[in-house]
Coordinates of all heavy atoms in Angstrom, one line a residue:
M88 N 146.6 105.1 62.7 CA 146.6 103.6 63.0 C 147.9 103.0 62.4 O 148.2 103.3 61.3 CB 145.3 103.0 62.4 CG 145.1 101.6 62.8 SD 143.6 100.8 62.2 CE 142.4 102.1 62.1
P89 N 148.5 102.1 63.2 CA 149.7 101.5 62.6 C 149.4 100.7 61.4 O 148.3 100.2 61.2 CB 150.2 100.6 63.8 CG 149.4 101.0 65.0 CD 148.2 101.7 64.5
I90 N 150.5 100.4 60.6 CA 150.3 99.7 59.3 C 149.9 98.3 59.6 O 149.3 97.6 58.7 CB 151.5 99.8 58.5 CG1 151.2 99.4 57.0 CG2 152.7 98.9 59.0 CD1 152.1 100.0 56.0
N91 N 150.1 97.7 60.8 CA 149.8 96.3 61.1 C 148.4 96.2 61.8 O 148.2 95.3 62.5 CB 150.9 95.7 61.9 CG 151.1 96.4 63.2 OD1 150.6 97.5 63.4 ND2 151.9 95.8 64.1
A92 N 147.6 97.2 61.6 CA 146.3 97.3 62.2 C 145.2 97.7 61.2 O 145.5 98.4 60.2 CB 146.3 98.2 63.4
S93 N 144.0 97.2 61.4 CA 142.9 97.6 60.6 C 141.7 97.6 61.5 O 141.8 97.3 62.7 CB 142.7 96.6 59.4 OG 142.4 95.3 59.9
K94 N 140.5 98.0 61.0 CA 139.3 98.0 61.8 C 138.1 97.6 61.0 O 138.0 97.6 59.8 CB 139.1 99.4 62.3 CG 138.8 100.5 61.3 CD 138.6 101.8 61.9 CE 138.2 102.9 60.9 NZ 137.9 104.2 61.5
V95 N 137.2 97.0 61.8 CA 135.9 96.6 61.3 C 134.8 97.6 62.0 O 134.8 97.7 63.2 CB 135.6 95.2 61.7 CG1 134.2 94.8 61.2 CG2 136.6 94.2 61.1
T96 N 134.1 98.3 61.1 CA 133.1 99.2 61.6 C 131.7 98.8 61.2 O 131.4 98.4 60.1 CB 133.4 100.6 61.0 OG1 134.7 101.0 61.3 CG2 132.4 101.7 61.6
R97 N 130.8 98.8 62.2 CA 129.4 98.5 61.9 C 128.5 99.5 62.7 O 128.9 100.0 63.7 CB 129.0 97.1 62.3 CG 129.7 96.0 61.6 CD 129.2 96.0 60.1 NE 129.9 94.9 59.4 CZ 131.0 95.0 58.7 NH1 131.6 96.2 58.6 NH2 131.5 94.0 58.0
R98 N 127.3 99.7 62.3 CA 126.3 100.6 63.0 C 125.2 99.8 63.5 O 124.7 98.8 62.8 CB 125.8 101.7 62.0 CG 127.0 102.6 61.7 CD 126.5 103.9 61.1 NE 127.8 104.6 60.8 CZ 127.8 105.7 60.2 NH1 126.7 106.3 59.8 NH2 128.9 106.3 60.0
D99 N 124.7 100.2 64.6 CA 123.5 99.5 65.2 C 122.2 100.1 64.6 O 122.3 101.1 63.8 CB 123.5 99.4 66.7 CG 123.5 100.8 67.3 OD1 123.0 101.8 66.7 OD2 123.9 100.9 68.5
Q100 N 121.1 99.6 65.1 CA 119.8 100.1 64.6 C 119.5 101.6 65.0 O 118.6 102.2 64.4 CB 118.6 99.2 65.0 CG 118.4 99.1 66.5 CD 119.2 98.0 67.2 OE1 120.2 97.5 66.7 NE2 118.8 97.6 68.3
H101 N 120.3 102.1 65.9 CA 120.1 103.5 66.3 C 121.1 104.4 65.6 O 121.1 105.6 65.9 CB 120.2 103.6 67.8 CG 119.3 102.8 68.6 ND1 117.9 103.0 68.6 CD2 119.5 101.6 69.3 CE1 117.3 102.1 69.4 NE2 118.2 101.2 69.8
G102 N 121.9 103.9 64.7 CA 122.9 104.7 64.0 C 124.2 104.9 64.7 O 125.1 105.6 64.2
R103 N 124.4 104.3 65.9 CA 125.6 104.4 66.6 C 126.7 103.5 66.0 O 126.4 102.4 65.6 CB 125.5 104.0 68.1 CG 124.6 105.0 68.9 CD 124.5 104.5 70.3 NE 123.8 103.3 70.4 CZ 122.7 103.1 71.0 NH1 122.1 104.1 71.6 NH2 122.1 101.9 71.1
E104 N 127.9 104.1 65.8 CA 129.0 103.4 65.2 C 129.8 102.6 66.3 O 130.1 103.1 67.3 CB 129.9 104.3 64.5 CG 131.0 103.7 63.7 CD 131.7 104.7 62.8 OE1 131.3 104.9 61.7 OE2 132.7 105.2 63.3
H105 N 130.1 101.3 65.9 CA 130.9 100.5 66.8 C 132.1 100.0 66.0 O 132.0 99.7 64.8 CB 130.1 99.3 67.3 CG 128.9 99.6 68.1 ND1 128.9 99.9 69.4 CD2 127.6 99.9 67.7 CE1 127.7 100.2 69.8 NE2 126.9 100.2 68.8
V106 N 133.3 100.0 66.6 CA 134.5 99.6 65.9 C 135.3 98.6 66.7 O 135.4 98.6 67.9 CB 135.4 100.9 65.8 CG1 136.7 100.5 65.1 CG2 134.7 102.0 65.0
V107 N 135.7 97.6 65.9 CA 136.6 96.6 66.5 C 138.0 96.7 65.7 O 138.0 96.7 64.5 CB 136.1 95.1 66.3 CG1 137.1 94.1 66.7 CG2 134.8 94.9 67.2
T108 N 139.1 96.8 66.4 CA 140.4 97.0 65.9 C 141.1 95.6 65.8 O 141.0 94.9 66.8 CB 141.2 98.0 66.7 OG1 140.5 99.2 66.8 CG2 142.6 98.2 66.1
V109 N 141.7 95.3 64.6 CA 142.4 94.1 64.4 C 143.9 94.5 64.3 O 144.3 95.2 63.4 CB 142.0 93.4 63.2 CG1 142.8 92.1 63.0 CG2 140.5 93.1 63.2
Q110 N 144.7 94.0 65.3 CA 146.1 94.3 65.2 C 146.9 93.0 65.0 O 146.5 91.9 65.5 CB 146.6 94.9 66.5 CG 146.0 96.3 66.7 CD 146.6 97.0 67.9 OE1 146.6 96.4 69.0 NE2 147.0 98.2 67.7
R111 N 147.9 93.1 64.2 CA 148.7 91.9 63.8 C 150.1 92.0 64.4 O 150.8 93.0 64.4 CB 148.8 91.9 62.3 CG 149.6 90.7 61.7 CD 149.6 90.7 60.3 NE 150.5 91.8 59.9 CZ 151.4 91.8 58.9 NH1 151.5 90.7 58.2 NH2 152.2 92.8 58.6
S112 N 150.5 90.8 64.9 CA 151.9 90.6 65.3 C 152.3 89.2 64.9 O 152.0 88.2 65.5 CB 152.0 90.7 66.9 OG 153.3 90.5 67.3
G113 N 153.1 89.2 63.8 CA 153.4 87.9 63.2 C 152.1 87.2 62.7 O 151.4 87.8 62.0
V114 N 151.9 85.9 63.0 CA 150.7 85.2 62.6 C 149.6 85.5 63.6 O 148.4 85.1 63.3 CB 151.0 83.7 62.4 CG1 152.0 83.5 61.4 CG2 151.4 83.1 63.7
Q115 N 149.9 86.0 64.7 CA 148.8 86.2 65.8 C 148.1 87.5 65.5 O 148.7 88.6 65.2 CB 149.5 86.3 67.2 CG 148.5 86.2 68.3 CD 147.7 84.9 68.4 OE1 148.2 83.9 68.1 NE2 146.5 85.0 68.8
R116 N 146.8 87.5 65.7 CA 146.0 88.7 65.6 C 145.3 89.0 66.9 O 144.8 88.0 67.6 CB 144.9 88.6 64.5 CG 145.3 88.2 63.2 CD 146.1 89.3 62.4 NE 146.2 89.0 61.0 CZ 147.2 88.3 60.4 NH1 148.0 87.7 61.2 NH2 147.2 88.2 59.1
T117 N 145.2 90.2 67.3 CA 144.4 90.6 68.5 C 143.3 91.5 68.1 O 143.5 92.5 67.4 CB 145.3 91.3 69.6 OG1 146.4 90.5 69.9 CG2 144.5 91.7 70.8
I118 N 142.1 91.1 68.5 CA 140.9 91.9 68.1 C 140.4 92.6 69.4 O 140.3 91.9 70.5 CB 139.9 91.1 67.4 CG1 139.6 89.8 68.0 CG2 140.3 90.9 66.0 CD1 138.6 88.9 67.3
S119 N 140.1 93.8 69.4 CA 139.6 94.5 70.5 C 138.5 95.5 70.2 O 138.6 96.2 69.1 CB 140.7 95.3 71.3 OG 141.3 96.2 70.4
C120 N 137.4 95.6 71.0 CA 136.3 96.4 70.7 C 136.5 97.8 71.4 O 136.7 97.8 72.6 CB 135.0 95.7 71.3 SG 133.5 96.7 71.0
D121 N 136.4 98.8 70.6 CA 136.5 100.2 71.1 C 135.3 100.5 72.0 O 135.4 101.4 72.8 CB 136.6 101.2 70.0 CG 137.9 101.0 69.2 OD1 138.8 100.2 69.6 OD2 138.1 101.7 68.2
T122 N 134.1 99.9 71.8 CA 132.9 100.2 72.5 C 132.9 99.6 73.9 O 132.7 100.3 74.9 CB 131.7 99.7 71.8 OG1 131.7 100.3 70.5 CG2 130.4 100.1 72.5
C123 N 133.2 98.3 74.1 CA 133.1 97.7 75.4 C 134.4 97.2 76.0 O 134.4 96.7 77.1 CB 132.1 96.5 75.3 SG 132.6 95.1 74.3
G124 N 135.5 97.2 75.2 CA 136.8 96.8 75.7 C 137.1 95.3 75.6 O 138.1 94.8 76.0
W125 N 136.1 94.5 75.0 CA 136.3 93.1 74.7 C 137.6 92.9 73.9 O 137.9 93.6 73.0 CB 135.1 92.6 74.0 CG 135.2 91.2 73.5 CD1 135.0 90.0 74.1 CD2 135.5 90.8 72.1 NE1 135.1 89.0 73.3 CE2 135.4 89.4 72.0 CE3 135.8 91.5 71.0 CZ2 135.7 88.7 70.9 CZ3 136.1 90.8 69.8 CH2 136.0 89.5 69.8
R126 N 138.3 91.8 74.2 CA 139.6 91.5 73.5 C 139.6 90.0 73.3 O 139.2 89.2 74.1 CB 140.8 91.9 74.3 CG 140.9 93.4 74.4 CD 142.1 93.8 75.3 NE 143.4 93.3 74.7 CZ 144.1 94.1 73.9 NH1 143.7 95.2 73.5 NH2 145.3 93.6 73.4
Q127 N 140.2 89.6 72.2 CA 140.4 88.2 71.9 C 141.7 88.0 71.0 O 141.9 88.8 70.1 CB 139.2 87.6 71.2 CG 139.4 86.1 70.9 CD 138.1 85.5 70.3 OE1 137.1 86.2 70.2 NE2 138.1 84.3 70.0
S128 N 142.5 87.0 71.2 CA 143.6 86.7 70.4 C 143.1 85.6 69.4 O 142.4 84.7 69.9 CB 144.8 86.2 71.2 OG 145.3 87.3 71.9
T129 N 143.6 85.6 68.2 CA 143.2 84.6 67.2 C 144.2 84.5 66.1 O 144.9 85.5 65.9 CB 141.8 84.9 66.6 OG1 141.4 83.8 65.8 CG2 141.8 86.2 65.9
Q130 N 144.3 83.4 65.5 CA 145.2 83.3 64.3 C 144.4 83.3 63.0 O 144.9 83.7 62.0 CB 146.0 82.0 64.3 CG 147.1 82.0 65.3 CD 148.0 80.8 65.3 OE1 147.6 79.8 64.8 NE2 149.2 80.9 65.8
F131 N 143.1 82.9 63.1 CA 142.3 82.7 61.9 C 141.1 83.6 61.9 O 140.4 83.7 62.9 CB 142.0 81.2 61.7 CG 143.2 80.3 61.7 CD1 143.5 79.6 62.8 CD2 144.0 80.3 60.6 CE1 144.6 78.7 62.7 CE2 145.1 79.5 60.5 CZ 145.4 78.7 61.6
L132 N 140.7 84.1 60.8 CA 139.5 84.8 60.5 C 139.2 86.0 61.6 O 138.1 86.1 62.1 CB 138.3 83.9 60.5 CG 138.4 82.7 59.5 CD1 137.3 81.7 59.7 CD2 138.4 83.3 58.1
P133 N 140.1 86.8 61.8 CA 139.9 87.9 62.8 C 138.8 88.8 62.4 O 138.0 89.3 63.3 CB 141.2 88.6 62.9 CG 141.9 88.3 61.6 CD 141.5 87.0 61.2
W134 N 138.6 89.1 61.1 CA 137.6 90.1 60.7 C 136.2 89.5 60.8 O 135.3 90.2 61.2 CB 137.9 90.5 59.3 CG 139.2 91.3 59.2 CD1 139.4 92.6 59.5 CD2 140.5 90.7 59.0 NE1 140.7 92.9 59.4 CE2 141.4 91.8 59.1 CE3 140.9 89.5 58.6 CZ2 142.8 91.6 58.9 CZ3 142.3 89.3 58.4 CH2 143.2 90.3 58.6
L135 N 136.1 88.2 60.6 CA 134.8 87.5 60.8 C 134.4 87.5 62.3 O 133.3 87.8 62.6 CB 134.9 86.1 60.2 CG 133.6 85.3 60.4 CD1 132.4 85.9 59.7 CD2 133.8 83.8 59.9
K136 N 135.4 87.2 63.1 CA 135.2 87.2 64.6 C 134.8 88.6 65.1 O 133.9 88.8 65.9 CB 136.4 86.6 65.3 CG 136.5 85.2 65.1 CD 137.7 84.6 65.8 CE 137.8 83.1 65.4 NZ 138.9 82.5 66.2
A137 N 135.4 89.6 64.5 CA 135.1 91.0 64.8 C 133.6 91.3 64.4 O 132.9 91.9 65.2 CB 136.0 92.0 64.1
Q138 N 133.2 90.9 63.2 CA 131.8 91.1 62.8 C 130.9 90.4 63.7 O 129.8 90.9 64.0 CB 131.7 90.6 61.3 CG 132.4 91.5 60.3 CD 132.3 90.9 58.9 OE1 131.5 90.1 58.6 NE2 133.3 91.3 58.1
E139 N 131.2 89.1 64.1 CA 130.3 88.4 64.9 C 130.1 89.1 66.3 O 129.0 89.1 66.8 CB 130.9 87.0 65.1 CG 130.7 86.1 63.9 CD 131.4 84.8 64.1 OE1 132.2 84.5 65.1 OE2 131.3 83.9 63.2
H140 N 131.2 89.6 66.9 CA 131.2 90.3 68.1 C 130.2 91.5 68.0 O 129.4 91.7 68.9 CB 132.5 90.7 68.6 CG 132.5 91.7 69.8 ND1 132.2 91.2 71.1 CD2 132.6 93.0 69.9 CE1 132.1 92.3 71.9 NE2 132.3 93.4 71.2
L141 N 130.4 92.3 67.0 CA 129.6 93.5 66.8 C 128.1 93.1 66.7 O 127.3 93.8 67.2 CB 130.1 94.3 65.6 CG 131.5 94.9 65.7 CD1 131.9 95.5 64.4 CD2 131.4 96.0 66.8
A142 N 127.8 92.1 65.9 CA 126.4 91.7 65.8 C 125.8 91.1 67.1 O 124.7 91.5 67.4 CB 126.3 90.6 64.7
E143 N 126.6 90.3 67.8 CA 126.0 89.7 69.0 C 126.0 90.6 70.2 O 125.0 90.6 70.9 CB 126.9 88.4 69.3 CG 126.7 87.3 68.2 CD 127.7 86.2 68.4 OE1 128.4 86.1 69.4 OE2 127.7 85.3 67.5
A144 N 127.1 91.3 70.4 CA 127.2 92.1 71.6 C 126.5 93.5 71.5 O 126.0 94.1 72.5 CB 128.7 92.3 72.0
H145 N 126.5 94.0 70.3 CA 126.0 95.4 70.1 C 124.9 95.5 69.1 O 124.4 96.6 68.8 CB 127.2 96.3 69.6 CG 128.3 96.3 70.6 ND1 128.3 96.8 71.9 CD2 129.6 95.8 70.4 CE1 129.4 96.6 72.5 NE2 130.2 96.0 71.6
Q146 N 124.5 94.4 68.5 CA 123.4 94.4 67.4 C 123.8 95.4 66.3 O 122.9 96.0 65.7 CB 122.0 94.7 68.0 CG 121.5 93.6 68.9 CD 122.1 93.6 70.2 OE1 122.3 94.6 70.9 NE2 122.5 92.4 70.7
A147 N 125.1 95.5 66.1 CA 125.6 96.4 65.0 C 125.9 95.5 63.8 O 126.9 94.8 63.7 CB 126.9 97.1 65.5
T148 N 125.0 95.7 62.8 CA 125.2 94.8 61.6 C 125.3 95.6 60.3 O 125.5 95.0 59.2 CB 124.0 93.8 61.5 OG1 122.8 94.6 61.5 CG2 124.0 92.9 62.7
V149 N 125.1 96.9 60.3 CA 125.1 97.7 59.1 C 126.5 98.2 58.8 O 127.1 98.9 59.6 CB 124.1 99.0 59.3 CG1 124.2 99.8 58.0 CG2 122.7 98.5 59.6
D150 N 127.0 97.8 57.7 CA 128.3 98.2 57.2 C 128.2 99.6 56.6 O 127.6 99.8 55.6 CB 128.9 97.2 56.2 CG 130.3 97.5 55.8 OD1 130.8 98.7 56.0 OD2 130.9 96.6 55.2
P151 N 128.8 100.7 57.2 CA 128.6 102.0 56.7 C 129.2 102.2 55.3 O 128.7 103.0 54.5 CB 129.4 102.9 57.7 CG 130.1 102.0 58.6 CD 129.6 100.6 58.4
S152 N 130.2 101.4 54.9 CA 130.8 101.5 53.6 C 129.8 101.0 52.5 O 129.8 101.4 51.4 CB 132.1 100.8 53.5 OG 131.9 99.4 53.6
E153 N 129.0 100.0 52.9 CA 128.0 99.4 51.9 C 126.8 100.3 51.8 O 126.1 100.4 50.8 CB 127.6 98.0 52.4 CG 128.7 97.0 52.2 CD 128.2 95.6 52.6 OE1 127.0 95.5 53.0 OE2 129.1 94.7 52.6
A154 N 126.5 101.1 52.9 CA 125.3 101.9 52.9 C 125.4 103.0 51.8 O 124.4 103.4 51.2 CB 125.1 102.6 54.3
H155 N 126.6 103.5 51.6 CA 126.8 104.5 50.6 C 126.8 104.0 49.2 O 126.5 104.7 48.3 CB 128.2 105.3 50.8 CG 128.2 106.0 52.1 ND1 127.4 107.0 52.4 CD2 129.0 105.8 53.3 CE1 127.6 107.4 53.7 NE2 128.6 106.7 54.2
T156 N 127.2 102.7 49.0 CA 127.2 102.2 47.6 C 125.9 101.6 47.1 O 125.8 101.3 46.0 CB 128.3 101.1 47.5 OG1 128.0 100.1 48.4 CG2 129.7 101.7 47.8
S157 N 125.0 101.4 48.0 CA 123.7 100.8 47.6 C 122.7 101.7 47.0 O 121.6 101.3 46.7 CB 123.1 100.0 48.8 OG 122.8 101.0 49.8
R158 N 123.0 103.0 46.9 CA 122.1 104.0 46.4 C 121.9 103.9 44.9 O 122.8 103.6 44.2 CB 122.5 105.4 46.8 CG 122.3 105.6 48.3 CD 122.7 107.0 48.6 NE 122.6 107.1 50.1 CZ 122.9 108.1 50.7 NH1 123.4 109.2 50.1 NH2 122.8 108.2 52.0

């Protein structure tokens, strides 16, 4: 992944992983869903918008990084 990109990963109730990639170009961010191809440009709160998309479109709300630390 390029240095100007990051990702938001969540799992749905069936354990399927869904990923939204956040890419940066100057102040503009483009967010795109690897599961369904949805894309949106934004300047503010791209990670929050990515989480909202995953929750609304895919019912993916479980953060896999938090699942390991809650034990």
Side-chain angles (χ1 to χ4, degrees):
M88 191 175 327
I90 198 153
N91 60 349
S93 60
K94 65 181 182 175
V95 176
T96 304
R97 296 291 182 269
R98 293 194 181 174
D99 62 21
Q100 63 270 23
H101 302 290
R103 291 182 296 243
E104 187 171 271
H105 300 273
V106 178
V107 172
T108 303
V109 179
Q110 293 186 311
R111 182 180 69 137
S112 178
V114 297
Q115 191 67 32
R116 307 289 195 275
T117 301
I118 47 182
S119 58
C120 180
D121 294 355
T122 302
C123 68
W125 169 84
R126 294 176 63 87
Q127 181 178 356
S128 293
T129 185
Q130 285 184 341
F131 304 105
L132 303 172
W134 297 276
L135 179 61
K136 291 180 182 184
Q138 290 174 21
E139 289 173 352
H140 170 75
L141 291 170
E143 293 170 7
H145 305 293
Q146 291 74 47
T148 57
V149 178
D150 185 343
S152 65
E153 290 179 3
H155 296 296
T156 60
S157 63
R158 292 183 184 174

